Amino acid sequence: MRSRFDEDMALLHRELTRMGGLCEEAIALSAKALDGDRALAGKVPALEAEIDQAERDIESLCLKLLLRLWRETCGRCRRH
C-alpha cells in the first residue's frame, strides 16, 4: 500500500510541476503580448485550457490519495 501511495505522491509532484511550468509559460506569453507581440496572445487560450485540465487531474488525484489514506486509517481502527 505504501509504495502505491509513494508512486501517487511522485505523480502528484510531477503534475504540479508540469502545471506550474504551463502557468509560467502562459504568463510569459501574456507579458510579451502586452509588449506588442500580438501573435503570442493567440497561444494563451490553448495553454489556459491545458492548465484547467491539469488542475482537474490534480484535484482528482488528490481526492484519490485522501480516500486511500482514509480507507487505510479506517482499516487500522477496525482491527484494534
Side-chain angles (χ1 to χ4, degrees):
M1 176 68 103
R2 184 54 62 184
S3 66
R4 178 66 183 161
F5 179 80
D6 292 338
E7 290 172 12
D8 286 344
M9 287 297 291
L11 174 61
L12 177 60
H13 182 265
R14 286 191 305 272
E15 289 300 308
L16 284 167
T17 302
R18 185 179 75 83
M19 189 175 93
L22 291 171
C23 292
E24 286 179 7
E25 186 178 351
I27 291 167
L29 287 174
S30 297
K32 288 178 183 176
L34 288 173
D35 285 340
D37 193 344
R38 304 281 184 225
L40 293 177
K43 297 180 180 182
V44 175
L47 278 173
E48 286 182 16
E50 197 172 346
I51 291 166
D52 291 344
Q53 183 60 52
E55 181 181 9
R56 288 188 294 272
D57 293 345
I58 289 167
E59 182 178 0
S60 177
L61 180 56
C62 287
L63 290 173
K64 288 176 187 175
L65 284 166
L66 289 171
L67 180 59
R68 185 174 294 125
L69 285 174
W70 180 77
R71 285 180 181 165
E72 185 178 310
T73 303
C74 287
R76 287 182 189 157
C77 290
R78 288 184 194 134
R79 285 180 255 162
H80 290 113

